[in-house]
Amino acid sequence: MTDLAFTPALELARLIRKREVSPLELTELYLDRISRFNPQLGSYFTVMAESAIADSRYKTEILANTQKTELPPFFGVPISIKDLNAVAGVTCTFGSPALLHNIPNYDDGVVTKIKQAGFVILGKTATSELGSYPYTEPAGFPPARNPWNLDYTSGGSSGGAASAVAAGLCAIAQGSDGGGSIRVPAACCGLVGIKPARGRVTNAPGTSIIATSGPLARTVADAAAMLDAISGYFPGDPFWLNNPEPCFLESRTKVGLNIAFSTSIPSVGEADGNCQQGVLKAVRLLEELGHNVVEKCPDISGLVQPFQVVWQAGVAAAKIPPQILQPLNRFLLERTGSAGEYVQAVTQMQILSRQIVAFFDTIDILVLPVYLHSPMKIGEWSQLNPDDTLERIIKWIAPCPIANATGLPAMSIPMGFDANGLPLSVQLIGKPAAEATLISIASQLEMVNPWVQHQWSPQ
């Protein structure tokens, strides 16, 4: 049963279709693991045990009473939802204890698509307050810990999603990424994380120019198939991309691509040894696979200031009283400017983004670290003042916001382990709307550097 908990989601879906395992059995397996391991991991804020059992029992009865084989792609597979996204009738805290009684009466668009894909929702995973922090230590909740070393962060803001998948507390997870919030936790926890291109996945009922939902998974194929399931237009979306043909899961192998790489971010700094190791290992493998590799990186230094203005505006948009917020979010709220300053920042960010996207006229993939130094310990930054916290965050996740500002697709994949037992990783950034190319390259790297055999066991 332990092996079943770490079985890829697509394989679980196949076993369900063959009636070799039932949705109810899988749901009970994961709920049992959640009850045993969530207290030490802090992966879930809310466990939806009653509704998950009811839904999985209903799906099991469907299988028992019909020979139907045309089922949704992930029929009966257990999943988790990040607690920044609304699930009707379930508490949505946004990482704030002040919102423990906030119970929406609607599903976010991405949740609707997840339900249509046949998933069974196990619960709401931990997030940093308002999704603002790249580590998950919100006041009033346990911190989300890294399963591979419990002293360290699982990243953020989708930290609970990443720790849940890595520890076998769900088969696959939904996360969201406004500045690295899928890629950073996936890298911390040794997972595949995809930040889709702008317009690929709906943000309904709202919208965002920098944030999007995406998958965290154990395998490239699982992440690709989930991206297929959640992609596409949702009524009222202000911008969207057409679904690819063929689908992401069937992305064709691409050879002889032009690949750029860098172990540093201009004007910010050089990655530490562990982060460089992940990049250089990936580059070596890509050269051996026949791709054309060159060391260069676009200048993204001008993005820092306007991106920060947009980030601050997100805190203000939450409309939570300042006295309730954690120190950094309170600090960001106090620095929020006028509507005119926000529009100016968006305009500046888009002008710079056009210059960065032009870099990809001759480059298919940019290979970067996910972050510039190894993950920190739980609480390591908790006593810093907001100025110092903000400075450290900007320097740590500097390789990530380039994809959010430009709307380019990006993903992180595992590359091994460091001396502290923490995963090594690498980030791939692609051309506009070119997730299929990213998935092709990631699949090639997964084939020559497999990681799915690694299974977490309690410490």
Side-chain angles (χ1 to χ4, degrees), residues 134-166:
Y135 48 94
T136 306
E137 302 174 27
F141 298 93
R145 297 181 179 273
N146 195 315
W148 299 105
N149 189 326
L150 297 177
D151 292 333
Y152 288 83
T153 183
S154 62
S157 60
S158 306
S163 65
V165 177

Side-chain angles (χ1 to χ4, degrees), residues 7 36 42 101 113 168 219 256 270 294 311 315 359-360 407 440 456:
T7 298
R36 287 190 288 144
H101 301 294
K113 287 182 175 288
T219 69
E270 187 82 14
V294 61
W311 180 21
V315 177
F359 174 85
F360 289 86
S440 169
W456 173 79

Side-chain angles (χ1 to χ4, degrees), residues 81-92 94 102-112 115 121 124 174 204-205:
I81 305 295
K82 184 177 178 180
D83 207 27
L84 292 183
N85 289 94
V87 176
V90 182
T91 300
C92 189
F94 295 90
N102 174 45
I103 303 177
N105 60 2
Y106 63 92
D107 290 331
D108 277 355
V110 68
V111 174
T112 297
K115 289 182 176 180
I121 299 174
K124 304 293 290 298
Q174 174 267 341

Side-chain angles (χ1 to χ4, degrees), residues 55-408:
D55 186 29
S56 63
R57 180 174 285 122
Y58 170 71
K59 286 180 166 67
T60 298
E61 290 172 355
I62 289 176
L63 289 171
N65 295 321
T66 180
Q67 295 302 310
K68 186 177 180 181
T69 56
E70 290 298 318
L71 296 167
F74 287 100
F75 186 84
V77 176
I79 193 173
S80 62
I81 305 295
K82 184 177 178 180
D83 207 27
L84 292 183
N85 289 94
V87 176
V90 182
T91 300
C92 189
T93 70
F94 295 90
S96 172
L99 296 175
L100 284 170
H101 301 294
N102 174 45
I103 303 177
N105 60 2
Y106 63 92
D107 290 331
D108 277 355
V110 68
V111 174
T112 297
K113 287 182 175 288
I114 283 169
K115 289 182 176 180
Q116 290 171 345
F119 285 107
V120 173
I121 299 174
L122 296 171
K124 304 293 290 298
T125 52
T127 177
S128 58
E129 185 183 68
L130 306 182
S132 295
Y133 299 70
Y135 48 94
T136 306
E137 302 174 27
F141 298 93
R145 297 181 179 273
N146 195 315
W148 299 105
N149 189 326
L150 297 177
D151 292 333
Y152 288 83
T153 183
S154 62
S157 60
S158 306
S163 65
V165 177
L169 307 191
C170 58
I172 195 168
Q174 174 267 341
S176 57
D177 191 316
S181 289
I182 287 173
R183 289 160 288 161
V184 168
C188 287
C189 296
L191 303 173
V192 177
I194 299 180
K195 197 291 291 184
R198 182 177 295 147
R200 181 69 67 194
V201 178
T202 183
N203 278 308
T207 187
S208 173
I209 61 170
I210 61 172
T212 180
S213 286
L216 293 99
R218 295 189 189 92
T219 69
V220 174
D222 278 0
M226 180 174 166
L227 182 57
D228 282 323
I230 63 176
S231 292
Y233 174 76
F234 198 85
D237 283 346
F239 44 79
W240 64 92
L241 296 173
N242 292 327
N243 290 338
E245 295 183 6
C247 65
F248 291 123
L249 181 59
E250 297 174 2
S251 296
R252 298 184 181 94
T253 299
K254 299 180 186 294
V255 297
L257 297 181
N258 295 319
I259 296 176
F261 80 95
S262 179
T263 57
S264 64
I265 301 300
S267 79
V268 179
E270 187 82 14
D272 73 5
N274 283 334
C275 297
Q276 288 192 34
Q277 184 181 343
V279 171
L280 296 176
K281 180 178 180 180
V283 166
R284 175 178 57 80
L285 293 172
L286 289 169
E287 286 181 317
E288 292 173 358
L289 287 164
H291 299 289
N292 310 308
V293 178
V294 61
E295 185 172 5
K296 63 177 180 177
C297 182
D299 183 4
I300 65 171
S301 57
L303 284 178
V304 175
Q305 191 275 333
F307 191 88
Q308 187 176 323
V309 172
V310 175
W311 180 21
Q312 290 168 182
V315 177
K319 297 183 179 180
I320 294 179
Q323 63 272 20
I324 296 175
L325 294 172
Q326 289 184 268
L328 177 60
N329 275 335
R330 193 180 315 130
F331 175 75
L332 294 174
L333 179 61
E334 291 167 352
R335 293 177 54 161
T336 302
S338 66
E341 290 170 326
Y342 172 80
V343 172
Q344 288 174 347
V346 171
T347 301
Q348 183 183 359
M349 191 170 70
Q350 293 305 317
I351 291 171
L352 292 167
S353 293
R354 291 176 189 273
Q355 298 170 10
I356 293 168
V357 171
F359 174 85
F360 289 86
D361 287 347
T362 57
I363 295 296
D364 297 298
I365 299 283
L366 174 61
V367 179
L368 294 176
V370 178
Y371 30 65
L372 291 184
H373 62 75
S374 301
M376 55 281 186
K377 289 187 174 182
I378 296 289
E380 187 173 330
W381 293 357
S382 62
Q383 300 305 311
L384 298 175
N385 64 48
D387 259 324
D388 289 341
T389 304
L390 181 59
E391 181 180 355
R392 294 201 185 192
I393 287 174
I394 289 172
K395 288 183 177 179
W396 189 41
I397 65 165
C400 286
I402 176 177
N404 303 91
T406 59
L408 295 172

